[in-house]
């Protein structure tokens, strides 16, 4: 496979049971096929020797702001998204095949930011609570009030049209 950044030939590397493509002697980028990134997005999922090899793989400086295309899908441009709510790592993802491209050093940044999935979820919850907490509490309160009102209306209709007058729903006989 050819590197989408610097057009070098990618080298396959194994880390536990995951085989990824790395641009050795080039830009140092990493290609993850669909679902491979999820198997390596936490610190404990990578060997130290593997990370040491990754840090030695970069020999070229390239422009990271350039748009690149997926190496698997013909001329399918990546879209960029942030890895987490901390917004310190931008990853490139193919909307067609689901593969992920990380530039040199981004995997290490991910490991330093949130070592585990639980810490990532906790940080997201804190930020969402900070941004939307008050609005969500107001919506929850309003929803509770609507539920109470609707239950009162339902009780009133129960006395106006009891279900035991509907044929077939009573034990004591039918009309």
């Amino acid at each position: 496979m050819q590197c989408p950044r610097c057009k070098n030939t990618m080298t396959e590397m194994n880390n536990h049971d995951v085989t990824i493509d790395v641009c050795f002697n080039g830009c140092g980028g990493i290609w993850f096929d669909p679902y491979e990134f999820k198997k390596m997005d936490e610190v404990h999922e990578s060997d130290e020797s593997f990370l040491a090899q990754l840090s030695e793989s970069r020999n070229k400086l390239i422009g990271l702001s350039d748009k690149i295309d997926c190496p698997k899908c013909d001329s399918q441009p990546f879209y960029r998204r942030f890895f987490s709510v901390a917004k310190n790592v931008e990853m490139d993802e193919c909307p067609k095949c689901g593969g992920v491209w990380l530039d040199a050093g981004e995997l290490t940044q991910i490991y330093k930011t949130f070592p585990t999935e639980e810490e990532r979820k906790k940080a997201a919850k804190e930020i969402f609570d900070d941004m939307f907490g008050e609005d969500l509490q107001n919506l929850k309160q309003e929803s509770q009030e609507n539920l109470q009102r609707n239950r009162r209306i339902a009780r009133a209709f129960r006395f106006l049209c009891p279900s035991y007058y509907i044929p077939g729903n009573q034990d004591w006989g039918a009309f």
Side-chain angles (χ1 to χ4, degrees):
M1 179 170 44
Q2 201 175 42
C3 174
R5 282 261 187 239
C6 66
K7 308 302 181 212
N8 277 354
T9 302
M10 305 278 284
T11 305
E12 286 188 357
M13 284 185 67
N14 289 322
N15 179 49
H16 297 293
D17 63 339
V18 180
T19 302
I20 60 171
D21 298 295
V22 179
C23 183
F24 270 105
N25 298 320
C27 66
I30 307 169
W31 169 255
F32 296 92
D33 286 322
Y35 307 108
E36 286 180 343
F37 177 68
K38 188 69 179 153
K39 294 178 184 178
M40 288 184 56
D41 67 343
E42 297 180 18
V43 175
H44 65 85
E45 296 171 331
S46 291
D47 294 328
E48 286 185 29
S49 62
F50 172 78
L51 293 175
Q53 285 179 324
L54 283 181
S55 65
E56 297 170 4
S57 67
R58 184 177 183 179
N59 287 337
K60 285 185 183 176
L61 294 176
I62 39 93
L64 298 178
S65 62
D66 299 339
K67 295 279 186 186
I68 55 175
D69 293 336
C70 177
K72 296 276 182 167
C73 305
D74 290 335
S75 67
Q76 174 65 49
F78 283 122
Y79 70 85
R80 283 201 173 147
R81 68 179 182 90
F82 287 109
F83 169 72
S84 69
V85 294
K87 295 184 178 182
N88 60 349
V89 177
E90 281 188 23
M91 56 193 286
D92 299 298
E93 189 170 359
C94 177
K96 191 172 182 181
C97 72
V100 173
W101 174 262
L102 293 178
D103 291 309
E106 288 181 338
L107 186 61
T108 307
Q109 279 184 300
I110 287 171
Y111 289 164
K112 287 179 183 175
T113 306
F114 298 112
T116 64
E117 181 80 22
E118 290 79 32
E119 289 181 35
R120 195 167 37 251
K121 286 181 180 179
K122 182 181 174 188
K125 183 179 178 347
E126 289 172 1
I127 288 176
F128 290 139
D129 284 347
D130 186 41
M131 293 172 69
F132 306 112
E134 188 176 323
D135 293 336
L136 289 175
Q137 287 292 31
N138 291 340
L139 287 173
K140 185 177 179 182
Q141 179 65 30
E142 185 179 312
S143 177
Q144 289 293 330
E145 291 168 0
N146 287 340
L147 178 64
Q148 303 262 333
R149 186 180 70 242
N150 291 341
R151 284 184 176 160
R152 285 193 303 270
I153 292 170
R155 271 185 254 137
F157 275 109
R158 190 173 0 169
F159 291 112
L160 293 175
C161 182
S163 63
Y164 60 84
Y165 287 138
I166 298 173
N169 286 343
Q170 61 281 56
D171 296 329
W172 44 267
F175 284 79

